[in-house]
Amino acid sequence: MQRLIDAIDAELPQTQCGKCGQPGCRPYAEAVANGEAINRCPPGGEHTVARLAALTGRPGVALEQPAQSPLTAYIREDECIGCTKCIQACPVDAILGAAKQMHTVIVDQCTGCELCLAPCPVDCIDLLPHPRWQSAASEQQRQRYLDYRASQGRQRFEARQRRLAALAEAKRQRRAQRQARPDTQQAATLSESALRANRMRLAAALKRLTRQQQRAEDDAQRRTLAARIAEQQAELDALDRQLGQTQQASPRASVEHQQRMAVNAAEQSLRKARQQLAHAERQHDPAAKAGAQQQIAQASAMLERALASQPPSPGKPS
């Protein structure tokens, strides 16, 4: 079964468009191996249907939807509002940008899946024929482009899935760590500065009550003030204990903060490298493009190391 799935996946265009009803080409390959129809891939066209029929031993059938030639998305950058919704939708990370900043498409990496169109709130994305497909002068050149698109589409889709899984796991671990804190450490979630501010407030209130007790004229009033002083002193003692716990936990908190900073720095380096790649694409500068691709690889490796350095959740072996 696994060999059949691999063979079917190798024949698919790797646009990761979801037009087949599955969330990607690999899931569609698995579905076809389990009996789903072989004619639900418009980017693959009739040629892909014929090859899937030969692989599965089923009769050839017509496509459910019209065949689709290679396309690419273009963002009308002067209309882009920087909402990042298209970035989140792109299955191959072929869109660069940041919140409230102009977005742009890496045309060479875009598979034309159309998934960025629907989320765009200002309808500033156009889908046009891919320039490498249009410039192909022969069937051999067109096939070379299709092979390149399939290879890049598969690699970038799988890399994105690994990145999202790593981020989700890191988030799950942080949540589990917060939930696993013992009750004696819950107060330590307050910042040390906030605890010190509360202590100063209680200490000042205790001094006022002590002065009032000293000036009290009858025993009943002094007893009432003494009870309030005892309550305030108990709260002050509890705050002192919380401050001690916070100070003991601060080295670990500092390490966790540094780990989070490393992840943030790696993500920022990756975004910057992708922006440089997009600029090199627009300038048609092969040297700058190669340099940007090398920076992307380095930043991706740095991000993976930063995510791997985060501590595992309690009870999970390292």
Side-chain angles (χ1 to χ4, degrees):
M1 177 66 79
Q2 192 62 42
R3 287 185 179 180
L4 178 59
I5 292 172
D6 291 340
I8 294 172
D9 185 49
E11 298 296 342
L12 297 176
Q14 304 302 319
T15 55
Q16 318 300 340
C17 62
K19 291 185 173 69
C20 59
Q22 299 293 334
C25 292
R26 182 72 180 189
Y28 181 52
E30 295 170 352
V32 168
N34 286 303
E36 187 163 322
I38 62 175
N39 62 339
R40 295 177 178 171
C41 180
E46 298 289 352
H47 187 49
T48 296
V49 174
R51 287 183 292 185
L52 294 185
L55 277 173
T56 60
R58 303 180 203 170
V61 290
L63 278 169
E64 282 190 346
Q65 305 175 54
Q68 176 183 302
S69 61
L71 302 171
T72 187
Y74 285 93
I75 295 176
R76 298 193 296 278
E77 296 175 352
D78 56 339
E79 300 176 29
C80 175
I81 61 173
C83 70
T84 75
K85 291 183 178 179
C86 60
I87 295 176
Q88 298 169 39
C90 180
V92 293
D93 284 338
I95 303 178
L96 302 179
K100 299 183 181 179
Q101 301 294 324
M102 178 194 71
H103 300 348
T104 190
V105 176
I106 307 175
V107 173
D108 198 43
Q109 306 296 344
C110 177
T111 64
C113 68
E114 304 183 32
L115 293 176
C116 58
L117 299 183
C120 180
V122 293
D123 195 21
C124 70
I125 304 177
D126 297 319
L127 209 63
L128 303 174
H130 199 286
R132 287 188 59 177
W133 177 259
Q134 286 188 308
S135 65
S138 66
E139 184 62 30
Q140 186 179 14
Q141 289 180 350
R142 283 192 284 270
Q143 188 58 50
R144 276 204 300 267
Y145 164 68
L146 293 178
D147 292 342
Y148 171 81
R149 182 182 69 170
S151 173
Q152 289 294 304
R154 180 184 292 107
Q155 292 176 19
R156 294 178 70 86
F157 178 74
E158 291 175 350
R160 183 173 190 268
Q161 295 305 305
R162 289 194 298 269
R163 176 175 63 83
L164 294 178
L167 290 173
E169 176 61 16
K171 182 177 180 180
R172 186 196 66 77
Q173 290 181 6
R174 290 194 296 270
R175 184 169 59 247
Q177 288 173 349
R178 288 194 300 269
Q179 293 173 349
R181 284 194 183 109
D183 294 339
T184 56
Q185 293 183 357
Q186 286 181 357
T189 57
L190 289 173
S191 67
E192 185 176 349
S193 59
L195 289 173
R196 290 189 179 279
N198 286 340
R199 191 189 186 285
M200 290 176 62
R201 178 182 58 79
L202 282 173
L206 187 59
K207 287 181 180 180
R208 287 194 299 270
L209 289 172
T210 302
R211 287 195 297 267
Q212 291 174 16
Q213 185 189 37
Q214 292 170 352
R215 294 194 298 266
E217 297 179 356
D218 59 76
D219 291 341
Q221 188 177 11
R222 279 193 291 270
R223 284 194 297 272
T224 301
L225 289 169
R228 292 179 60 189
I229 288 172
E231 291 176 0
Q232 294 278 23
Q233 186 63 56
E235 291 185 33
L236 192 60
D237 292 343
L239 269 179
D240 286 338
R241 289 194 296 272
Q242 292 170 15
L243 274 168
Q245 292 168 358
T246 302
Q247 290 167 354
Q248 290 174 2
S250 60
R252 178 180 176 182
S254 177
V255 171
E256 292 177 352
H257 175 71
Q258 291 174 3
Q259 291 168 339
R260 288 195 297 271
M261 291 294 291
V263 171
N264 292 339
E267 290 176 341
Q268 185 175 2
S269 297
L270 186 57
R271 285 194 297 269
K272 185 175 180 180
R274 286 174 174 168
Q275 289 171 351
Q276 291 174 348
L277 177 59
H279 180 73
E281 291 276 356
R282 291 195 296 270
Q283 298 298 319
H284 303 289
D285 187 340
K289 178 181 174 182
Q293 289 174 335
Q294 184 177 6
Q295 290 180 20
I296 288 175
Q298 292 172 348
S300 298
M302 184 169 64
L303 178 58
E304 289 182 5
R305 289 195 298 270
L307 290 170
S309 70
Q310 292 187 330
S313 59
K316 181 178 179 180
S318 59

